[in-house]
Amino acid sequence: MDTNQDLPAIDSHRALQIWVTENLKMLPLPERAHGTFFEECCYIILHVPQSPKANQGGSSDLHYWIGKEASAETQGAAVTSVQRLQEVLGEQTVLHRESQGHESDCFHSYFHPGVVYRKGGRASVLKHVETNVYNVQQLLHIRGRKHVSATEVTLSWNSFNKGDIFLLDLGKVMIQWNGPKTSISEKSRALALTCSLRDRERSGRAQIGVVDDENKATDLVHIMEAVLGCRSGSMSAAVPSDSVSQQQKANIRLYHVFEKGMDLVVQELATRPLTQDLLQEEGCYLLDQGGFKIYMWQGRKSSPQDKKSAFTRAVGFIQAKGYPSYTNVEVVSDGAESTAFQQLFQTWLKEPDGKKHRVGHKRMQAKLDVSKLHTQPELAAQLRMVDDGSGQVEVWCIQDLQRQPVDPKHHGQLCSGNCYLALYTYKKLGSVRYILYLWQGLQTTIEDTKALNGNAEEMDLMYHGALVQAHVTMGREPPHFLAIFQGQLVVFQGCADNGGKRPPISSTRLFHMQGADSLNTRTMEVPARASSLMSSDIFFLVTTDVCYLWFGKGCSGDQREMARMVVTVFAGNNTETVLEGREPPHFWEALGGRAPYPSNKRLPEVSSTQPRLFECSSPSGCLVLTEVVFFDQEDLDKYDIMLLDACQEIFLWLGEEAGEQRKEAVAWGREYLRTHPAERLLDTPIIVVKQGHEPATFTGWFVTWDPYKWMNNQSYEEVVEGSLGPASAISEITAEVHNFQLTRGPGDNKAGPLTLLAFKSSQESPENDLKLGHRVDGKNPSKSPSEGCSSSAANGSLPRERLMHQAVEDLPQGVDPARKEFYLSDSDFQDIFGKSKEEFYSMAKWKQQQEKKKLGFF
């Protein structure tokens, strides 16, 4: 789409486009510069979802980013540019204001493995676009858990602290110093960012060193001290995280913003729970999420002036409330709301073409095709079914704190005063899979619940951690739990007898059946009185003499057929069919007389099936969630505990190296529901999934899923070893530190960017001027085989036959065995791998290794 004047052309087929603003011009950045931001500048970022399963429901996101040193003039120009661009893009665009160091989760989700903040302005931006620049001495401060950032800081030991990670970038050598209080996951993510910087900015040619223990990395520490000076005094303690807890995010207030005469009125309307009908299409509304984020909602019939003033009004509100100036702002238009905004309301309906319909995928109404569930995991996720429930079922009742097996003929007959374990075994693509349901009745005790969880953990150990654990509350059973009992799930009031057998029926009881087939039917005991009836459903009235099948006027033929199957559970009673309005006197007598009851059809459950993925942590005892907005399998890290909110159920994914916090996962899931701004139902099913044992109901929410990805899962130590390569550059600098005189005098502990004379020759590398096949002096390289190999290896131009399928001992001198592909010429690399080196090194490490194995470079 070409626009006039100074607006850039927009490529709708590119997911991410970034411009740096200069006056009223927008200068595009090349892809290799994405993720690096200079603090004196302002940037504009446009994200256009390319996947049909995009998490934001198809809306584009337009961000303007403000560097912390950006002038007021620069900021004003950026605001003007972004507003003009939004006019071109239309109202289907969500607009965000981002401030350096306080960006939204949506913003951070674009940049893997992290963002880099550097000092400087536009001149630095243009210089940074160059690659293979080795005349560098910088210190980067790396922070963050799921969303990692690296900020350029003063080149001094005073910048360090014990709780974070610092990267000393010396051009040819990059030294990652890990604070003693940092976790393995933080070290691993920082190393991924370090490797990315090496590959993007040095074409993979810089040497990485990692300092985990200073006593075991003396050479690296010696280099650091040569640059930073000798360290004096104790290092600063860890800086506490400023993350916002879920409890804080639950504080929401809605305001109506309108003009009255010459005055702007901001009128508070409601606090949580909010309902969508509070938003009127003629108005503009401000939603304050605990001072953490400000949303501006624009009705489709609001005035152009209201829409143009949205940002200004949000900033004015932030100032009036005394909130930090970096508070995030998001402007959404009627009909193009982000998922995060929608889920602040109890229910959300969309109105395309004037007709309301519930958000979410259409449910399959036809008979379930089991084969499709195995080949279409997204269907399994939407239907919440791994199969048709025809696998093997074992049931235990928790009695006297122990699990007692239940006779198969009583499977599905549960009591509200008990807890049960139901183990479901099935096969998928030839492998055996397990789901352990932890069912909790509404009349159970705390001791019963503890025993249920304890017995589940014992069983998980017996099955070597292969059990998917689904925590289910009576009355909120997921479809697959109903399916494993083939429509015969009946819940009785009271407690079970020994062996889990339900007690005999000795008085009048009333049971409510919901569902129309063997995959969605449950029957629950309700109070035996006429007010419990409902015209849309079927009820069983069981007395000592007869069992009445009461068919409400609104029930379907399928429901009636199902009822004739369920009634066999109450064997031993004579059965009599009763139609609503034709009940015999004894029917009403058994219920204690007539009484009013609902006659309207029961509305289906309203739900949004737009999933959201969060990383869970609890740094100070309170749950903190970090959202990954446009997620895929790559966002699941073995050190993580992730929460996937699929609306009707909550998944907790446990990485294999998640540590002791794994025990908190279910409690975190419950806290998430309890503190949700929309006041979610506390009995929503919570499903615990372990890395490598993910069911289709979980994997189906991801755009793609590779079941073999975890087989190539390296430890942090293996990643460190694989990232370092040969230590030649470090050895050279170490020797120079030992053998050459530093510019500072004896006893002078100060050091700066130009202290090491010995580094000058290596940092101002002639590789900046090298062209493949020529020397610096312009002469052709020697024809000597050994010299030719050495020269070619240094310049990345070895013939493919010297590298492909070669053992380590057969490689030319100077070739790093772990990076054989790097020494190909650019044309050979493109021909063999089908992509440029830059594209290859921007891929995930495991994907790189897979391609290298396949093509003979591993």
Side-chain angles (χ1 to χ4, degrees), residues 549-836:
L549 269 76
W550 185 84
F551 293 152
K553 290 179 179 178
C555 69
S556 65
D558 287 341
Q559 286 177 286
R560 297 182 186 190
E561 285 299 315
M562 197 64 221
R564 294 186 176 95
M565 292 176 57
V566 175
V567 76
T568 58
V569 172
F570 312 105
N573 298 82
N574 296 322
T575 302
E576 184 177 327
T577 300
V578 174
L579 302 180
E580 183 180 7
R582 299 182 184 180
E583 301 87 353
H586 186 259
F587 177 89
W588 295 115
E589 290 172 9
L591 290 175
R594 293 175 181 268
Y597 58 84
S599 58
N600 56 316
K601 189 170 179 63
R602 180 168 43 89
L603 293 174
E605 184 176 331
V606 176
S607 65
S608 166
T609 55
Q610 201 65 271
R612 300 177 72 189
L613 182 70
F614 303 87
E615 182 213 28
C616 303
S617 62
S618 183
S620 56
C622 296
L623 177 64
V624 172
L625 296 183
T626 303
E627 184 171 10
V628 182
V629 180
F630 305 96
F631 63 83
D632 58 28
Q633 189 181 0
E634 281 292 312
D635 295 304
L636 303 178
D637 188 277
K638 65 181 177 181
Y639 302 107
D640 289 337
I641 294 177
M642 305 295 290
L643 186 150
L644 178 66
D645 183 356
C647 297
Q648 292 183 302
E649 53 198 7
I650 302 296
F651 291 93
L652 272 304
W653 183 88
L654 310 182
E656 64 183 12
E657 301 289 341
E660 285 299 307
Q661 288 192 316
R662 293 158 64 99
K663 298 176 182 177
E664 304 296 323
V666 175
W668 285 349
R670 293 201 172 108
E671 185 176 350
Y672 172 76
L673 294 170
R674 181 178 58 80
T675 59
H676 198 284
E679 296 196 348
R680 298 279 290 279
L681 293 172
L682 300 182
D683 55 5
T684 299
I686 296 175
I687 302 169
V688 179
V689 175
K690 301 182 194 69
Q691 181 178 347
H693 301 283
E694 298 86 355
T697 47
F698 176 82
T699 64
W701 293 117
F702 292 75
V703 177
T704 58
W705 187 270
D706 178 3
Y708 305 106
K709 179 181 185 300
W710 311 130
M711 296 175 68
N712 195 28
N713 211 12
Q714 293 181 309
S715 67
Y716 165 70
E717 291 75 17
E718 289 171 332
V719 173
V720 170
E721 189 176 342
S723 301
L724 302 186
S728 55
I730 291 177
S731 300
E732 286 175 19
I733 294 182
T734 303
E736 290 169 348
V737 169
H738 283 292
N739 298 324
F740 289 86
Q741 180 65 43
L742 303 182
T743 56
R744 66 177 184 272
D748 182 1
N749 288 332
K750 296 181 180 179
L754 300 176
T755 26
L756 280 178
L757 288 178
F759 286 178
K760 187 172 179 61
S761 60
S762 62
Q763 298 288 28
E764 295 176 357
S765 170
E767 289 186 46
N768 291 328
D769 305 313
L770 278 180
K771 304 221 170 165
L772 297 182
H774 292 84
R775 299 222 254 221
V776 180
D777 56 11
K779 298 178 182 178
N780 288 330
S782 167
K783 300 298 181 184
S784 161
S786 60
E787 289 181 15
C789 286
S790 178
S791 174
S792 297
N795 292 299
S797 60
L798 284 171
R800 62 177 73 188
E801 58 270 14
R802 302 294 307 275
L803 299 166
M804 293 177 71
H805 306 291
Q806 295 294 322
V808 174
E809 58 271 17
D810 298 327
L811 289 171
Q813 184 179 359
V815 170
D816 177 3
R819 297 168 63 81
K820 291 188 280 187
E821 78 289 345
F822 170 72
Y823 300 92
L824 292 167
S825 67
D826 290 344
S827 58
D828 277 351
F829 194 99
Q830 181 75 40
D831 183 45
I832 295 170
F833 285 86
K835 56 178 69 71
S836 68

Side-chain angles (χ1 to χ4, degrees), residues 172-218:
K172 276 191 171 182
V173 172
M174 307 172 83
I175 301 175
Q176 178 176 314
W177 182 91
N178 297 328
K181 301 295 185 182
T182 53
S183 65
I184 290 183
S185 65
E186 290 173 311
K187 295 175 185 177
S188 176
R189 287 164 182 164
L191 183 57
L193 180 56
T194 299
C195 293
S196 174
L197 289 172
R198 174 196 64 188
D199 295 339
R200 283 189 294 151
E201 299 185 4
R202 313 287 149 71
S203 297
R205 300 183 185 187
Q207 173 64 42
I208 294 175
V210 177
V211 179
D212 269 321
D213 182 343
E214 292 189 355
N215 295 324
K216 296 179 180 179
T218 54

